[in-house]
Amino acid sequence: MACVLVHTEVDDGHPTPAAGAVLGEARRIASTLGATVYALAWVPPGDDEGPAADALTTVLGRGGADRVVLVAAPPTPRLWLTRGQALAQACAQLRPALTIFASDDGGRDLAPRLAARLGAAYVAEPVIETGPRGEVVLARPVYDGEQWRRLQLDELEHPTVVTLSGDRSLACGADEAERVRLDLPPASVAPPTTERDDPHAALAHARVVVVAGGGVTTTTLPLVAALAAQLGGELAGTQAACQRGLIDPERQVGVGARSVTPALYVVVGASGSAAHLGAVSPDAEIVAVDRDPRAPIWKAARWGLVGQIEALVPALTAALGGRA
């Protein structure tokens, strides 16, 4: 493993309590794996140089960091629109195998979008376990707690992005961390141009997502699109739907594609594979429409309709006050 990168928020020259706790967890993980911990810290303009930068580097070193990257950031919302460009470029240069965020508002906005940009696995709020050989394992419940999904960090073929809660004990690192300079764009006040011009950017932060699966056809796709419009949501697709050209590949939801964090996730004609649902926030309320009552999606869905798409989806759209 090359390195572990920790997204670190700073207030008054010190990491926030949540960021400090996550940095401590990163230190314990990296020590087990023999990896280097980089703390990427966001500081007010001017504090990335001089005595303030030296003092913060020392604090982060004592908190568990081996190396520190300071990025000047104006007091703007701590979101992907303002920090995503710098964060993605930092990952391109450091190539972390594991990137960790605190599970706060900023972390929950940044982490899934960074994972989508990197083609990385995204794990929200995992339990950190130790395997029988001392390996580090990330585990989280899936299918409404009936099963557990586990990722062993030293065997991953792709980078991983996780969010962790801040209620963790702190760790101690070396007193002297090394400050590293990267050629990064500063955090912006306005959204980066590439984000504003991306017609699919809204999918990453949509509160409602309707996804078309392999059971959707060219005939029934307009019905699914009408349902998404009626719900005020974004239309997406599984790998099967995107490979058949029904949905733009940039709108594919799945591990290695886009991750989404909606409040409501409507699945139409998708079996519910682990590769698909692994990219959906565990907090999402899943509603399914599928003709197979034995499909795996029913283990994850809280509500659903069993039957033909061409009959059920128009009826559902009409019940919501629309016309399909």
Side-chain angles (χ1 to χ4, degrees), residues 212-213 216-218 221 237-249 252:
V216 174
T217 65
T218 55
L221 180 61
T238 64
Q239 182 179 21
C242 293
Q243 286 180 340
R244 288 164 47 211
L246 294 176
I247 302 293
D248 190 306
Q252 178 183 330

Side-chain angles (χ1 to χ4, degrees), residues 45-231:
D47 285 359
D48 54 337
E49 298 286 350
D54 294 337
L56 178 58
T57 300
T58 298
V59 170
L60 294 174
R62 290 173 179 169
D66 297 306
R67 296 174 181 171
V68 174
V69 178
L70 301 182
V71 184
T76 57
R78 301 168 177 179
L79 302 172
W80 179 262
L81 292 180
T82 57
R83 299 189 173 182
Q85 188 177 19
L87 185 58
Q89 289 198 25
C91 290
Q93 295 180 46
L94 296 175
R95 301 181 67 83
L98 177 65
T99 303
I100 304 177
F101 293 79
S103 186
D104 52 20
D105 289 342
R108 287 190 291 270
D109 180 83
L110 288 161
R113 295 175 185 172
L114 178 66
R117 174 70 65 87
L118 301 178
Y122 171 54
V123 186
E125 293 289 330
V127 175
I128 300 176
E129 302 177 343
T130 301
R133 296 179 286 104
E135 66 272 23
V136 178
V137 179
L138 304 179
R140 73 177 181 94
V142 295
Y143 301 136
D144 206 21
E146 294 186 10
Q147 298 182 26
W148 283 78
R149 178 189 180 201
R150 289 179 168 83
L151 295 176
Q152 185 172 316
L153 289 181
D154 58 355
E155 292 184 353
L156 292 178
E157 298 180 358
H158 301 285
T160 303
V161 178
V162 304
T163 53
L164 297 178
S165 63
D167 56 348
R168 297 166 185 269
S169 59
L170 302 180
C172 294
D175 289 342
E176 297 184 3
E178 175 187 358
R179 193 152 83 248
V180 178
R181 300 180 186 277
L182 300 180
D183 183 17
L184 301 178
S188 59
V189 176
T193 301
T194 53
E195 183 76 12
R196 292 197 306 266
D197 292 345
D198 180 2
H200 310 293
L203 179 60
H205 53 83
R207 302 304 295 161
V208 177
V209 174
V210 178
V211 65
V216 174
T217 65
T218 55
T219 302
T220 56
L221 180 61
L223 305 178
V224 179
L227 176 62
Q230 180 62 25
L231 289 169

